Amino acid sequence: MSQLFTPARTRGFLRATAAAVALSSVLLTTSCGAADESGGDAKATAAVPAGFPVTVDNCGVRTTYDRPPSRVVTIHQHPAELMLALGLKDRMVGTAFPDSAVLPELKEDYEAVPELARKEPSFEKVLDAEPDFVYGGYGSAFAEKEGRSRTAFADAGIDTYLNREYCGKKKVTMEDTYDEVRTIGKIFGVPDRADKLVTDLKSRVGRAAGKVEGEPDVPVFVYDSGDKAAFTAGGKSLGTELIRLAGGENVFADLDDVFGDVSWEQVIERRPEVIAVYDYAGAGSVEQKKRFLLSQPALADVPAVRNKRFVVLPLTATLVGIRSAYAVDDLARGLHPESFR
């Protein structure tokens, strides 16, 4: 295959090291608003809000919250969108690392929150925002080699939470999305909002899945990036479940990982009818990816390429966050357009 652009390996590396990030924090125990022995912390003397204290186990870190966090920095886009969907804009003092266009209904609120960095911010930059809570989307949010370990934040008196996708479970499902919403709702004292949001997300998924019920499964190849090999979603990815719910079948569902490389010969052999192109910064534009696929003579007889059947998904729609429910509808429309006429 000709070389067009450098494949993105960042998320593959992050997924592979997520368990290591979690394990490095196993012995860490933090407590939000904990008083010193002299009782000098004013927070500790205030009345405890209803439903608190709350204790949460997250990727090997157990944290007890005496009250909801009030100054939050989110690192990566999907945690920010989840916070905003829960109506928590007033708690947010900084965001970082936007991956793709923000959901239209959240755009105004998202833009109202200061952006600390286009990528992961430095530890010092986060501290400048004076947060009491940092919510990371990828394992790299708390990269020890960059000085942003969860231990470092704890030593600075700042609680942390890492998206459950990076807790080393490997297989990711829609239930992880719903559990993530409920956990964040619990931490911030808005469990009713979280329950309502989960209900709304489930309804969105149910409506799309109902439209394609009984239709034959469409073979789908996920193209994340790559030229010499294809970096694709494996059977343990949330993407595989999204495809299934949308009336399709991931042709690499037998790949025993969240993501991995496959050969172009394997892609040709499996004859996908639709290609789901993941859209995010750093791996070439969607148009570049499409041009690359359409320009390869070896792929010319692959049904998806021959018929130019592509479905574009923002990367944030394939992660544990509110976008995954939206992705089911987008995929279903791309796989079974006749069901939506």
mmCIF file with all atom_site columns, all heavy atoms in Angstrom, residues 22-47:
data_model
loop_
_atom_site.group_PDB
_atom_site.id
_atom_site.type_symbol
_atom_site.label_atom_id
_atom_site.label_alt_id
_atom_site.label_comp_id
_atom_site.label_asym_id
_atom_site.label_entity_id
_atom_site.label_seq_id
_atom_site.pdbx_PDB_ins_code
_atom_site.Cartn_x
_atom_site.Cartn_y
_atom_site.Cartn_z
_atom_site.occupancy
_atom_site.B_iso_or_equiv
_atom_site.pdbx_formal_charge
_atom_site.auth_seq_id
_atom_site.auth_comp_id
_atom_site.auth_asym_id
_atom_site.auth_atom_id
_atom_site.pdbx_PDB_model_num
ATOM 1   N N   . ALA A 1 22 ? -3.426  2.679  35.946 1.00 0.00 ? 22 ALA A N   1
ATOM 2   C CA  . ALA A 1 22 ? -4.282  2.366  37.091 1.00 0.00 ? 22 ALA A CA  1
ATOM 3   C C   . ALA A 1 22 ? -3.484  1.706  38.208 1.00 0.00 ? 22 ALA A C   1
ATOM 4   O O   . ALA A 1 22 ? -3.620  2.044  39.373 1.00 0.00 ? 22 ALA A O   1
ATOM 5   C CB  . ALA A 1 22 ? -5.427  1.455  36.651 1.00 0.00 ? 22 ALA A CB  1
ATOM 6   N N   . LEU A 1 23 ? -2.616  0.725  37.833 1.00 0.00 ? 23 LEU A N   1
ATOM 7   C CA  . LEU A 1 23 ? -1.870  -0.005 38.836 1.00 0.00 ? 23 LEU A CA  1
ATOM 8   C C   . LEU A 1 23 ? -0.914  0.900  39.607 1.00 0.00 ? 23 LEU A C   1
ATOM 9   O O   . LEU A 1 23 ? -0.664  0.683  40.786 1.00 0.00 ? 23 LEU A O   1
ATOM 10  C CB  . LEU A 1 23 ? -1.085  -1.143 38.171 1.00 0.00 ? 23 LEU A CB  1
ATOM 11  C CG  . LEU A 1 23 ? -1.929  -2.353 37.756 1.00 0.00 ? 23 LEU A CG  1
ATOM 12  C CD1 . LEU A 1 23 ? -1.075  -3.331 36.959 1.00 0.00 ? 23 LEU A CD1 1
ATOM 13  C CD2 . LEU A 1 23 ? -2.525  -3.038 38.964 1.00 0.00 ? 23 LEU A CD2 1
ATOM 14  N N   . SER A 1 24 ? -0.370  1.925  38.906 1.00 0.00 ? 24 SER A N   1
ATOM 15  C CA  . SER A 1 24 ? 0.557   2.828  39.573 1.00 0.00 ? 24 SER A CA  1
ATOM 16  C C   . SER A 1 24 ? -0.119  3.615  40.677 1.00 0.00 ? 24 SER A C   1
ATOM 17  O O   . SER A 1 24 ? 0.532   4.196  41.528 1.00 0.00 ? 24 SER A O   1
ATOM 18  C CB  . SER A 1 24 ? 1.179   3.799  38.560 1.00 0.00 ? 24 SER A CB  1
ATOM 19  O OG  . SER A 1 24 ? 0.222   4.712  38.120 1.00 0.00 ? 24 SER A OG  1
ATOM 20  N N   . SER A 1 25 ? -1.478  3.639  40.647 1.00 0.00 ? 25 SER A N   1
ATOM 21  C CA  . SER A 1 25 ? -2.226  4.428  41.637 1.00 0.00 ? 25 SER A CA  1
ATOM 22  C C   . SER A 1 25 ? -2.958  3.567  42.659 1.00 0.00 ? 25 SER A C   1
ATOM 23  O O   . SER A 1 25 ? -3.735  4.071  43.445 1.00 0.00 ? 25 SER A O   1
ATOM 24  C CB  . SER A 1 25 ? -3.250  5.313  40.905 1.00 0.00 ? 25 SER A CB  1
ATOM 25  O OG  . SER A 1 25 ? -2.620  6.130  39.978 1.00 0.00 ? 25 SER A OG  1
ATOM 26  N N   . VAL A 1 26 ? -2.735  2.249  42.639 1.00 0.00 ? 26 VAL A N   1
ATOM 27  C CA  . VAL A 1 26 ? -3.548  1.334  43.446 1.00 0.00 ? 26 VAL A CA  1
ATOM 28  C C   . VAL A 1 26 ? -3.507  1.663  44.923 1.00 0.00 ? 26 VAL A C   1
ATOM 29  O O   . VAL A 1 26 ? -4.492  1.539  45.640 1.00 0.00 ? 26 VAL A O   1
ATOM 30  C CB  . VAL A 1 26 ? -3.096  -0.126 43.207 1.00 0.00 ? 26 VAL A CB  1
ATOM 31  C CG1 . VAL A 1 26 ? -3.526  -1.043 44.333 1.00 0.00 ? 26 VAL A CG1 1
ATOM 32  C CG2 . VAL A 1 26 ? -3.665  -0.629 41.905 1.00 0.00 ? 26 VAL A CG2 1
ATOM 33  N N   . LEU A 1 27 ? -2.327  2.122  45.398 1.00 0.00 ? 27 LEU A N   1
ATOM 34  C CA  . LEU A 1 27 ? -2.193  2.346  46.831 1.00 0.00 ? 27 LEU A CA  1
ATOM 35  C C   . LEU A 1 27 ? -2.624  3.734  47.270 1.00 0.00 ? 27 LEU A C   1
ATOM 36  O O   . LEU A 1 27 ? -2.543  4.074  48.440 1.00 0.00 ? 27 LEU A O   1
ATOM 37  C CB  . LEU A 1 27 ? -0.724  2.110  47.252 1.00 0.00 ? 27 LEU A CB  1
ATOM 38  C CG  . LEU A 1 27 ? -0.201  0.689  46.995 1.00 0.00 ? 27 LEU A CG  1
ATOM 39  C CD1 . LEU A 1 27 ? 1.256   0.587  47.426 1.00 0.00 ? 27 LEU A CD1 1
ATOM 40  C CD2 . LEU A 1 27 ? -1.053  -0.330 47.727 1.00 0.00 ? 27 LEU A CD2 1
ATOM 41  N N   . LEU A 1 28 ? -3.086  4.541  46.304 1.00 0.00 ? 28 LEU A N   1
ATOM 42  C CA  . LEU A 1 28 ? -3.477  5.920  46.622 1.00 0.00 ? 28 LEU A CA  1
ATOM 43  C C   . LEU A 1 28 ? -4.874  5.981  47.207 1.00 0.00 ? 28 LEU A C   1
ATOM 44  O O   . LEU A 1 28 ? -5.803  5.436  46.668 1.00 0.00 ? 28 LEU A O   1
ATOM 45  C CB  . LEU A 1 28 ? -3.408  6.775  45.350 1.00 0.00 ? 28 LEU A CB  1
ATOM 46  C CG  . LEU A 1 28 ? -3.908  8.203  45.461 1.00 0.00 ? 28 LEU A CG  1
ATOM 47  C CD1 . LEU A 1 28 ? -3.020  8.986  46.414 1.00 0.00 ? 28 LEU A CD1 1
ATOM 48  C CD2 . LEU A 1 28 ? -3.928  8.859  44.088 1.00 0.00 ? 28 LEU A CD2 1
ATOM 49  N N   . THR A 1 29 ? -5.013  6.653  48.325 1.00 0.00 ? 29 THR A N   1
ATOM 50  C CA  . THR A 1 29 ? -6.330  6.914  48.915 1.00 0.00 ? 29 THR A CA  1
ATOM 51  C C   . THR A 1 29 ? -6.443  8.400  49.157 1.00 0.00 ? 29 THR A C   1
ATOM 52  O O   . THR A 1 29 ? -5.576  8.990  49.792 1.00 0.00 ? 29 THR A O   1
ATOM 53  C CB  . THR A 1 29 ? -6.491  6.163  50.254 1.00 0.00 ? 29 THR A CB  1
ATOM 54  O OG1 . THR A 1 29 ? -6.347  4.774  50.006 1.00 0.00 ? 29 THR A OG1 1
ATOM 55  C CG2 . THR A 1 29 ? -7.856  6.442  50.863 1.00 0.00 ? 29 THR A CG2 1
ATOM 56  N N   . THR A 1 30 ? -7.494  9.002  48.634 1.00 0.00 ? 30 THR A N   1
ATOM 57  C CA  . THR A 1 30 ? -7.655  10.440 48.794 1.00 0.00 ? 30 THR A CA  1
ATOM 58  C C   . THR A 1 30 ? -8.984  10.740 49.436 1.00 0.00 ? 30 THR A C   1
ATOM 59  O O   . THR A 1 30 ? -9.887  9.923  49.443 1.00 0.00 ? 30 THR A O   1
ATOM 60  C CB  . THR A 1 30 ? -7.571  11.147 47.433 1.00 0.00 ? 30 THR A CB  1
ATOM 61  O OG1 . THR A 1 30 ? -8.643  10.674 46.622 1.00 0.00 ? 30 THR A OG1 1
ATOM 62  C CG2 . THR A 1 30 ? -6.253  10.905 46.739 1.00 0.00 ? 30 THR A CG2 1
ATOM 63  N N   . SER A 1 31 ? -9.117  11.940 49.939 1.00 0.00 ? 31 SER A N   1
ATOM 64  C CA  . SER A 1 31 ? -10.384 12.366 50.537 1.00 0.00 ? 31 SER A CA  1
ATOM 65  C C   . SER A 1 31 ? -10.619 13.827 50.259 1.00 0.00 ? 31 SER A C   1
ATOM 66  O O   . SER A 1 31 ? -9.809  14.659 50.617 1.00 0.00 ? 31 SER A O   1
ATOM 67  C CB  . SER A 1 31 ? -10.352 12.141 52.052 1.00 0.00 ? 31 SER A CB  1
ATOM 68  O OG  . SER A 1 31 ? -11.534 12.604 52.637 1.00 0.00 ? 31 SER A OG  1
ATOM 69  N N   . CYS A 1 32 ? -11.743 14.102 49.575 1.00 0.00 ? 32 CYS A N   1
ATOM 70  C CA  . CYS A 1 32 ? -12.070 15.483 49.198 1.00 0.00 ? 32 CYS A CA  1
ATOM 71  C C   . CYS A 1 32 ? -12.522 16.258 50.420 1.00 0.00 ? 32 CYS A C   1
ATOM 72  O O   . CYS A 1 32 ? -13.449 15.855 51.109 1.00 0.00 ? 32 CYS A O   1
ATOM 73  C CB  . CYS A 1 32 ? -13.169 15.460 48.136 1.00 0.00 ? 32 CYS A CB  1
ATOM 74  S SG  . CYS A 1 32 ? -13.737 17.084 47.648 1.00 0.00 ? 32 CYS A SG  1
ATOM 75  N N   . GLY A 1 33 ? -11.828 17.380 50.686 1.00 0.00 ? 33 GLY A N   1
ATOM 76  C CA  . GLY A 1 33 ? -12.235 18.251 51.778 1.00 0.00 ? 33 GLY A CA  1
ATOM 77  C C   . GLY A 1 33 ? -11.910 17.706 53.154 1.00 0.00 ? 33 GLY A C   1
ATOM 78  O O   . GLY A 1 33 ? -12.524 18.082 54.131 1.00 0.00 ? 33 GLY A O   1
ATOM 79  N N   . ALA A 1 34 ? -10.930 16.784 53.245 1.00 0.00 ? 34 ALA A N   1
ATOM 80  C CA  . ALA A 1 34 ? -10.589 16.219 54.540 1.00 0.00 ? 34 ALA A CA  1
ATOM 81  C C   . ALA A 1 34 ? -9.901  17.282 55.397 1.00 0.00 ? 34 ALA A C   1
ATOM 82  O O   . ALA A 1 34 ? -9.048  18.026 54.933 1.00 0.00 ? 34 ALA A O   1
ATOM 83  C CB  . ALA A 1 34 ? -9.664  15.018 54.365 1.00 0.00 ? 34 ALA A CB  1
ATOM 84  N N   . ALA A 1 35 ? -10.231 17.348 56.683 1.00 0.00 ? 35 ALA A N   1
ATOM 85  C CA  . ALA A 1 35 ? -9.647  18.345 57.570 1.00 0.00 ? 35 ALA A CA  1
ATOM 86  C C   . ALA A 1 35 ? -8.335  17.848 58.135 1.00 0.00 ? 35 ALA A C   1
ATOM 87  O O   . ALA A 1 35 ? -8.091  16.657 58.241 1.00 0.00 ? 35 ALA A O   1
ATOM 88  C CB  . ALA A 1 35 ? -10.611 18.639 58.727 1.00 0.00 ? 35 ALA A CB  1
ATOM 89  N N   . ASP A 1 36 ? -7.434  18.775 58.536 1.00 0.00 ? 36 ASP A N   1
ATOM 90  C CA  . ASP A 1 36 ? -6.246  18.365 59.264 1.00 0.00 ? 36 ASP A CA  1
ATOM 91  C C   . ASP A 1 36 ? -6.644  18.113 60.716 1.00 0.00 ? 36 ASP A C   1
ATOM 92  O O   . ASP A 1 36 ? -7.767  18.327 61.131 1.00 0.00 ? 36 ASP A O   1
ATOM 93  C CB  . ASP A 1 36 ? -5.145  19.425 59.144 1.00 0.00 ? 36 ASP A CB  1
ATOM 94  C CG  . ASP A 1 36 ? -5.564  20.789 59.689 1.00 0.00 ? 36 ASP A CG  1
ATOM 95  O OD1 . ASP A 1 36 ? -6.403  20.807 60.596 1.00 0.00 ? 36 ASP A OD1 1
ATOM 96  O OD2 . ASP A 1 36 ? -5.024  21.805 59.204 1.00 0.00 ? 36 ASP A OD2 1
ATOM 97  N N   . GLU A 1 37 ? -5.663  17.614 61.513 1.00 0.00 ? 37 GLU A N   1
ATOM 98  C CA  . GLU A 1 37 ? -5.994  17.187 62.875 1.00 0.00 ? 37 GLU A CA  1
ATOM 99  C C   . GLU A 1 37 ? -6.457  18.351 63.750 1.00 0.00 ? 37 GLU A C   1
ATOM 100 O O   . GLU A 1 37 ? -7.166  18.155 64.732 1.00 0.00 ? 37 GLU A O   1
ATOM 101 C CB  . GLU A 1 37 ? -4.777  16.517 63.509 1.00 0.00 ? 37 GLU A CB  1
ATOM 102 C CG  . GLU A 1 37 ? -4.461  15.162 62.869 1.00 0.00 ? 37 GLU A CG  1
ATOM 103 C CD  . GLU A 1 37 ? -3.305  14.468 63.532 1.00 0.00 ? 37 GLU A CD  1
ATOM 104 O OE1 . GLU A 1 37 ? -2.787  14.999 64.535 1.00 0.00 ? 37 GLU A OE1 1
ATOM 105 O OE2 . GLU A 1 37 ? -2.924  13.397 63.080 1.00 0.00 ? 37 GLU A OE2 1
ATOM 106 N N   . SER A 1 38 ? -6.058  19.567 63.381 1.00 0.00 ? 38 SER A N   1
ATOM 107 C CA  . SER A 1 38 ? -6.464  20.711 64.195 1.00 0.00 ? 38 SER A CA  1
ATOM 108 C C   . SER A 1 38 ? -7.845  21.218 63.842 1.00 0.00 ? 38 SER A C   1
ATOM 109 O O   . SER A 1 38 ? -8.357  22.132 64.473 1.00 0.00 ? 38 SER A O   1
ATOM 110 C CB  . SER A 1 38 ? -5.446  21.859 63.998 1.00 0.00 ? 38 SER A CB  1
ATOM 111 O OG  . SER A 1 38 ? -5.500  22.335 62.666 1.00 0.00 ? 38 SER A OG  1
ATOM 112 N N   . GLY A 1 39 ? -8.430  20.604 62.796 1.00 0.00 ? 39 GLY A N   1
ATOM 113 C CA  . GLY A 1 39 ? -9.775  21.020 62.389 1.00 0.00 ? 39 GLY A CA  1
ATOM 114 C C   . GLY A 1 39 ? -9.777  22.352 61.682 1.00 0.00 ? 39 GLY A C   1
ATOM 115 O O   . GLY A 1 39 ? -10.782 23.049 61.677 1.00 0.00 ? 39 GLY A O   1
ATOM 116 N N   . GLY A 1 40 ? -8.629  22.705 61.022 1.00 0.00 ? 40 GLY A N   1
ATOM 117 C CA  . GLY A 1 40 ? -8.503  24.015 60.411 1.00 0.00 ? 40 GLY A CA  1
ATOM 118 C C   . GLY A 1 40 ? -9.207  24.169 59.093 1.00 0.00 ? 40 GLY A C   1
ATOM 119 O O   . GLY A 1 40 ? -9.330  25.267 58.592 1.00 0.00 ? 40 GLY A O   1
ATOM 120 N N   . ASP A 1 41 ? -9.639  23.067 58.486 1.00 0.00 ? 41 ASP A N   1
ATOM 121 C CA  . ASP A 1 41 ? -10.304 23.172 57.179 1.00 0.00 ? 41 ASP A CA  1
ATOM 122 C C   . ASP A 1 41 ? -11.750 23.626 57.378 1.00 0.00 ? 41 ASP A C   1
ATOM 123 O O   . ASP A 1 41 ? -12.563 22.940 57.993 1.00 0.00 ? 41 ASP A O   1
ATOM 124 C CB  . ASP A 1 41 ? -10.254 21.813 56.480 1.00 0.00 ? 41 ASP A CB  1
ATOM 125 C CG  . ASP A 1 41 ? -10.720 21.878 55.025 1.00 0.00 ? 41 ASP A CG  1
ATOM 126 O OD1 . ASP A 1 41 ? -11.457 22.814 54.663 1.00 0.00 ? 41 ASP A OD1 1
ATOM 127 O OD2 . ASP A 1 41 ? -10.359 20.975 54.278 1.00 0.00 ? 41 ASP A OD2 1
ATOM 128 N N   . ALA A 1 42 ? -12.077 24.765 56.801 1.00 0.00 ? 42 ALA A N   1
ATOM 129 C CA  . ALA A 1 42 ? -13.423 25.311 56.984 1.00 0.00 ? 42 ALA A CA  1
ATOM 130 C C   . ALA A 1 42 ? -14.482 24.407 56.393 1.00 0.00 ? 42 ALA A C   1
ATOM 131 O O   . ALA A 1 42 ? -15.598 24.322 56.902 1.00 0.00 ? 42 ALA A O   1
ATOM 132 C CB  . ALA A 1 42 ? -13.503 26.703 56.351 1.00 0.00 ? 42 ALA A CB  1
ATOM 133 N N   . LYS A 1 43 ? -14.114 23.696 55.281 1.00 0.00 ? 43 LYS A N   1
ATOM 134 C CA  . LYS A 1 43 ? -15.087 22.819 54.637 1.00 0.00 ? 43 LYS A CA  1
ATOM 135 C C   . LYS A 1 43 ? -15.560 21.732 55.603 1.00 0.00 ? 43 LYS A C   1
ATOM 136 O O   . LYS A 1 43 ? -16.719 21.352 55.611 1.00 0.00 ? 43 LYS A O   1
ATOM 137 C CB  . LYS A 1 43 ? -14.472 22.158 53.398 1.00 0.00 ? 43 LYS A CB  1
ATOM 138 C CG  . LYS A 1 43 ? -14.380 23.048 52.183 1.00 0.00 ? 43 LYS A CG  1
ATOM 139 C CD  . LYS A 1 43 ? -13.869 22.230 51.001 1.00 0.00 ? 43 LYS A CD  1
ATOM 140 C CE  . LYS A 1 43 ? -13.792 23.075 49.745 1.00 0.00 ? 43 LYS A CE  1
ATOM 141 N NZ  . LYS A 1 43 ? -13.293 22.280 48.599 1.00 0.00 ? 43 LYS A NZ  1
ATOM 142 N N   . ALA A 1 44 ? -14.617 21.215 56.400 1.00 0.00 ? 44 ALA A N   1
ATOM 143 C CA  . ALA A 1 44 ? -14.949 20.095 57.268 1.00 0.00 ? 44 ALA A CA  1
ATOM 144 C C   . ALA A 1 44 ? -15.945 20.488 58.340 1.00 0.00 ? 44 ALA A C   1
ATOM 145 O O   . ALA A 1 44 ? -16.654 19.640 58.882 1.00 0.00 ? 44 ALA A O   1
ATOM 146 C CB  . ALA A 1 44 ? -13.672 19.535 57.902 1.00 0.00 ? 44 ALA A CB  1
ATOM 147 N N   . THR A 1 45 ? -15.966 21.786 58.676 1.00 0.00 ? 45 THR A N   1
ATOM 148 C CA  . THR A 1 45 ? -16.869 22.221 59.743 1.00 0.00 ? 45 THR A CA  1
ATOM 149 C C   . THR A 1 45 ? -18.247 22.587 59.209 1.00 0.00 ? 45 THR A C   1
ATOM 150 O O   . THR A 1 45 ? -19.169 22.793 59.981 1.00 0.00 ? 45 THR A O   1
ATOM 151 C CB  . THR A 1 45 ? -16.269 23.432 60.464 1.00 0.00 ? 45 THR A CB  1
ATOM 152 O OG1 . THR A 1 45 ? -16.139 24.516 59.535 1.00 0.00 ? 45 THR A OG1 1
ATOM 153 C CG2 . THR A 1 45 ? -14.888 23.101 61.038 1.00 0.00 ? 45 THR A CG2 1
ATOM 154 N N   . ALA A 1 46 ? -18.365 22.693 57.888 1.00 0.00 ? 46 ALA A N   1
ATOM 155 C CA  . ALA A 1 46 ? -19.656 23.041 57.308 1.00 0.00 ? 46 ALA A CA  1
ATOM 156 C C   . ALA A 1 46 ? -20.583 21.835 57.327 1.00 0.00 ? 46 ALA A C   1
ATOM 157 O O   . ALA A 1 46 ? -20.153 20.696 57.476 1.00 0.00 ? 46 ALA A O   1
ATOM 158 C CB  . ALA A 1 46 ? -19.468 23.544 55.874 1.00 0.00 ? 46 ALA A CB  1
ATOM 159 N N   . ALA A 1 47 ? -21.862 22.084 57.171 1.00 0.00 ? 47 ALA A N   1
ATOM 160 C CA  . ALA A 1 47 ? -22.834 20.997 57.154 1.00 0.00 ? 47 ALA A CA  1
ATOM 161 C C   . ALA A 1 47 ? -22.577 20.088 55.961 1.00 0.00 ? 47 ALA A C   1
ATOM 162 O O   . ALA A 1 47 ? -22.262 20.547 54.868 1.00 0.00 ? 47 ALA A O   1
ATOM 163 C CB  . ALA A 1 47 ? -24.245 21.581 57.079 1.00 0.00 ? 47 ALA A CB  1
#
